[in-house]
């Protein structure tokens, strides 16, 4: 494991959490209710942070689903060379029990930050129908202007 990854993840999580609550920053991609319903966009921002501070060449954004209450609940996280990175799973400590499946409730409480070997995390046991999106260093899935918007948000979080 890249020894700097846990520190990078922790530092960025703290900055993102603080920025989400700061009305002067008015983030476009992350709500003031962070981490609730912010997993996808937080993953993109975290991936950008990892690329800017390490030599990793690709990261997988993993999404999965679980039935809960009256609807299907989705969640996503990053996997970086066998390390699971998740900075939004604590939302499952905040959401009302009737909104969640027993699969999630039985594993409460969730940590605010996961940066552990993918085989030690319960994510693959909780969520199914996993899909994977490879994010490369250049974010080739985005247009140039799209990338610039993400980068602007990223620098706003760090400021």
């Amino acid at each position: 494991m890249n020894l700097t990854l846990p520190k990078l993840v922790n530092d960025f999580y703290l900055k993102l959490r603080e920025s989400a609550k700061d009305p002067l920053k008015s983030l476009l991609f992350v709500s003031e209710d962070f981490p609730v319903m912010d997993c996808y966009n937080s993953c993109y921002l975290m991936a950008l942070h990892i690329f800017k501070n390490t030599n990793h060449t690709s990261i997988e954004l993993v999404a999965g689903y679980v039935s809960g209450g009256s609807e299907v609940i989705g969640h996503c996280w990053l996997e970086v060379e066998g390390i699971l990175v998740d900075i939004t799973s604590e939302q499952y400590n905040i959401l009302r029990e009737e909104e969640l499946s027993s699969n999630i409730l039985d594993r409460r409480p969730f940590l605010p930050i996961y940066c552990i070997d993918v085989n030690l995390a319960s994510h693959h046991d909780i969520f199914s129908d996993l899909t994977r999106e490879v994010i490369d260093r250049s974010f080739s899935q985005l247009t140039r202007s799209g990338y610039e918007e993400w980068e602007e948000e990223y620098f706003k979080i760090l400021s």
Side-chain angles (χ1 to χ4, degrees):
M1 175 160 95
N2 185 338
L3 294 178
T4 62
L5 193 58
K7 181 162 177 30
L8 279 173
V9 170
N10 185 65
D11 290 352
F12 188 72
Y13 164 81
L14 294 173
K15 287 182 185 297
L16 181 56
R17 187 179 70 184
E18 180 183 318
S19 295
K21 307 282 187 238
D22 185 343
L24 298 176
K25 292 206 175 177
S26 62
L27 300 178
L28 296 174
F29 299 123
V30 178
S31 76
E32 63 186 23
D33 295 327
F34 175 83
V36 177
M37 305 299 288
D38 282 321
C39 54
Y40 183 82
N41 290 346
S42 296
C43 281
Y44 262 73
L45 291 163
M46 178 59 74
L48 188 56
H49 187 64
I50 292 169
F51 285 137
K52 288 191 175 290
N53 291 282
T54 70
N55 59 1
H56 292 289
T57 56
S58 74
I59 296 172
E60 288 187 314
L61 187 146
V62 182
Y65 303 89
V66 64
S67 295
S70 60
E71 54 191 77
V72 173
I73 298 164
H75 186 55
C76 57
W77 58 88
L78 300 175
E79 292 184 9
V80 184
E81 296 179 11
I83 303 301
L84 182 138
V85 174
D86 185 351
I87 59 170
T88 62
S89 61
E90 77 177 322
Q91 68 183 301
Y92 299 117
N93 300 334
I94 298 166
L95 294 170
R96 294 187 334 259
E97 286 188 16
E98 54 272 10
E99 297 178 78
L100 302 173
S101 75
S102 59
N103 237 10
I104 292 173
L105 291 172
D106 292 346
R107 288 172 173 86
R108 273 183 169 175
F110 287 86
L111 299 173
I113 301 167
Y114 286 87
C115 186
I116 60 174
D117 185 293
V118 71
N119 297 313
L120 300 176
S122 60
H123 291 59
H124 289 257
D125 297 328
I126 297 171
F127 300 96
S128 59
D129 299 324
L130 299 181
T131 60
R132 294 175 177 275
E133 173 188 341
V134 175
I135 304 172
D136 58 35
R137 287 189 80 77
S138 63
F139 282 79
S140 59
Q141 66 274 31
L142 300 176
T143 63
R144 182 71 192 143
S145 63
Y147 176 79
E148 289 169 356
E149 286 179 341
W150 283 99
E151 194 173 51
E152 183 179 326
E153 182 101 331
Y154 171 73
F155 287 124
K156 195 184 292 186
I157 291 163
L158 294 184
S159 68

